[in-house]
């Protein structure tokens, strides 16, 4: 008899030393990273990928910043070291909006992440994994590490900084913290500060992970396969994914239909339940629960006006040519939040709207509309 049992997932889906590197490269920071909340993070490495060639004067560099469960693999096929295709594959490449024959595109994995940059699954200088001892990070800490990477690459000023959702939060912090290093800016589906409702949705996800009996205070990374906080991470993903899509899309795609031959009255699932199960299982295989916690906390900390006299004062620091776009059906980061950015940034014009039925994820799916915005900024 053939054994058809599905193998248990590893305790963490994080990339680890010894795994195929794929297209990643690394930059190691020479000094500990000072943290906004106090203390410092030693031994920081940033994993990143590049496309194209840097001009001799460094003037053609573009910084692409990923969302919560993204990574440095913004373009390219799935391959050893990269379990999924590039998340913005249609935007980067020869002849694309970010034409790699013209632009040098850099996509780092955020510090606190789990795909090559220093995060909870990484080893500390003493050889133990960070796990639950990993420090609290903010967006400003993360872009400080990215600025160090830019220095190492010889990039004094980005021709464009672009990001959506969590990536948009970091892009905004780049333009406020380093206005002289940000020539143009594209902010997609992000707010000037995390709202109470957004923090509330995140809080439920954090509880789902921390209440998993396999969480172990965040110290589970060397547990046996199947012994990580998979149930909690999967539940967090299910909840998040509902907020990422629109009610209309879910209704049109799934309605009340059962999943194939399953009967909900007899313990079976509806199609929409199967859909959420699928996305939960995928994330467990490729992501780390502790990174999900660290990055979600960083998103909750997002407030561009903190320590700067408020949001309006902070936005006036932006000197970059700026476009702000929201997604028409986004219920997680709704359009009024992008309107606040567009009206508060001096160099921004009217709010642009990405017309998509896909909710918050529209900024990843409607690449043709995002490409038009990129071309408008870069000419």
């Amino acid at each position: 008899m053939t054994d058809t049992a599905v193998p248990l997932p590893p305790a963490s889906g994080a990339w680890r030393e010894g795994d195929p590197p794929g297209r990643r490269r690394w930059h190691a920071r020479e000094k500990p990273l000072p943290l906004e909340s106090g203390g410092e993070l030693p031994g920081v490495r940033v994993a990143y990928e590049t496309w194209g060639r840097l001009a001799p004067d460094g003037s053609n560099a573009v910084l692409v910043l990923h969302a919560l469960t993204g990574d440095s693999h913004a373009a390219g096929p799935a391959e050893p070291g990269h379990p999924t295709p590039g998340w913005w594959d249609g935007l980067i490449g020869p002849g694309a909006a970010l034409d790699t024959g013209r632009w040098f595109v850099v996509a780092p994995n955020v510090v606190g992440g789990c795909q090559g940059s220093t995060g909870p699954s990484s080893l500390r200088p003493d050889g133990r994994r960070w796990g639950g001892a990993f420090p609290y990070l903010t967006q400003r800490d993360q872009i400080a590490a990215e600025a160090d990477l830019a220095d190492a690459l010889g990039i004094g000023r980005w021709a464009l900084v672009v990001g959506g959702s969590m990536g948009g939060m970091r892009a905004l912090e780049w333009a406020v913290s380093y206005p002289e290093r940000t020539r143009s800016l594209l902010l997609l589906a992000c707010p000037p500060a995390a709202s109470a409702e957004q923090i509330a949705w995140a809080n439920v996800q954090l509880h789902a992970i921390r209440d998993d009996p396999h969480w172990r205070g965040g110290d589970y990374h060397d547990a046996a396969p199947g012994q990580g906080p998979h149930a909690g991470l999967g539940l967090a993903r299910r909840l998040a994914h509902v907020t990422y899509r629109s009610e209309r899309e879910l209704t049109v795609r799934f309605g009340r239909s059962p999943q194939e031959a399953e009967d909900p009255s007899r313990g079976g699932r509806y199609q929409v339940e199967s859909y959420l199960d699928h996305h939960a299982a995928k994330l467990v295989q490729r992501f780390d629960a502790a990174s999900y916690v660290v990055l979600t906390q960083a998103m909750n900390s997002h407030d561009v006006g903190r320590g700067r006299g408020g949001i309006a004062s902070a936005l006036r620091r932006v000197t970059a040519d700026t476009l702000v776009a929201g997604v028409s059906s986004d219920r997680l980061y709704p359009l009024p939040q992008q309107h606040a950015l567009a009206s508060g940034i001096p160099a921004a014009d009217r709010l642009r709207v990405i017309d998509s039925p896909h909710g918050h994820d529209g900024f990843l799916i409607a690449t043709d509309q995002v490409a038009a915005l990129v071309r408008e900024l870069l000419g």
Side-chain angles (χ1 to χ4, degrees):
M1 175 182 285
T2 302
D3 184 4
T4 58
V6 177
L8 294 172
S12 167
W15 184 92
R16 298 195 185 197
E17 296 289 345
D19 290 345
R23 297 190 72 258
R24 292 176 186 83
R25 299 167 64 189
W26 281 269
H27 167 65
R29 182 181 170 92
E30 293 182 0
K31 298 180 180 179
L33 178 68
L35 302 179
E36 188 183 0
S37 61
E40 57 187 22
L41 179 62
V44 172
R45 291 201 315 168
V46 175
Y48 66 99
E49 296 179 47
T50 67
W51 299 262
R53 181 174 296 180
L54 184 64
D57 62 359
S59 63
N60 68 333
V62 173
L63 180 62
V64 173
L65 301 175
H66 67 77
L68 172 60
T69 61
D71 54 31
S72 65
H73 199 54
E79 58 184 282
H82 302 296
T84 57
W87 48 270
W88 248 357
D89 212 25
L91 206 67
I92 301 168
L98 291 175
D99 185 349
T100 49
R102 179 184 178 191
W103 302 105
F104 178 65
V105 181
V106 182
N109 180 217
V110 67
V111 173
C114 63
Q115 290 299 318
S117 291
T118 298
S121 60
S122 304
L123 298 177
R124 308 185 217 186
D126 64 6
R128 296 179 296 161
R129 297 201 184 278
W130 276 104
F134 195 81
Y136 182 89
L137 295 181
T138 69
Q139 312 287 328
R140 296 177 195 178
D141 300 328
Q142 293 163 335
I143 68 160
E146 292 164 2
D148 196 55
L149 168 64
D151 292 342
L153 294 175
I155 300 167
R157 191 184 190 205
W158 298 103
L160 171 66
V161 179
V162 54
S165 192
M166 185 185 83
M169 296 176 187
R170 286 155 58 212
L172 177 60
E173 277 291 347
W174 258 99
V176 173
S177 298
Y178 306 105
E180 74 286 355
R181 303 191 70 168
T182 311
R183 192 181 84 197
S184 61
L185 177 69
L186 178 55
L187 302 175
L188 302 168
C190 66
S195 71
E197 183 179 41
Q198 289 150 3
I199 295 169
W201 282 120
N203 174 262
V204 179
Q205 296 169 52
L206 293 174
H207 272 287
I209 293 172
R210 290 168 170 157
D211 290 348
D212 188 313
H214 294 304
W215 169 244
R216 302 184 187 90
D219 297 320
Y220 59 85
H221 291 91
D222 294 318
Q227 296 301 303
H230 302 133
L233 179 58
L235 182 56
R237 179 61 164 181
R238 287 176 179 88
L239 176 61
H241 206 75
V242 172
T243 71
Y244 296 159
R245 313 304 280 227
S246 72
E247 187 274 338
R248 178 187 170 202
E249 181 196 11
L250 296 178
T251 297
V252 170
R253 288 182 66 179
F254 306 113
R256 292 184 48 78
S257 300
Q259 173 65 13
E260 298 180 346
E262 297 184 30
D263 182 352
S265 70
R266 298 179 180 274
R269 299 171 297 172
Y270 291 98
Q271 284 185 4
V272 69
E273 293 176 305
S274 174
Y275 169 72
L276 295 177
D277 289 345
H278 170 72
H279 280 280
K282 282 178 59 178
L283 190 71
V284 163
Q285 291 285 348
R286 69 171 183 85
F287 211 74
D288 178 59
S291 278
Y292 198 101
V293 168
V294 167
L295 299 183
T296 298
Q297 289 177 320
M299 292 173 71
N300 285 348
S301 80
H302 174 58
D303 178 358
V304 74
R306 184 177 60 252
R308 294 166 170 158
I311 289 172
S313 176
L315 295 181
R316 287 195 293 270
R317 296 188 183 195
V318 178
T319 59
D321 293 333
T322 302
L323 291 180
V324 180
V327 181
S328 58
S329 56
D330 192 343
R331 56 181 170 182
L332 179 59
Y333 294 100
L335 290 174
Q337 292 187 319
Q338 289 87 60
H339 178 74
L341 290 172
S343 61
I345 294 174
D349 62 3
R350 60 182 173 83
L351 173 65
R352 310 306 175 88
V353 179
I354 297 170
D355 185 18
S356 169
H358 299 296
H360 183 62
D361 277 354
F363 81 91
L364 293 170
I365 298 171
T367 52
D368 56 339
Q369 296 180 61
V370 175
L373 298 172
V374 170
R375 289 191 171 99
E376 183 177 346
L377 276 170
L378 292 178

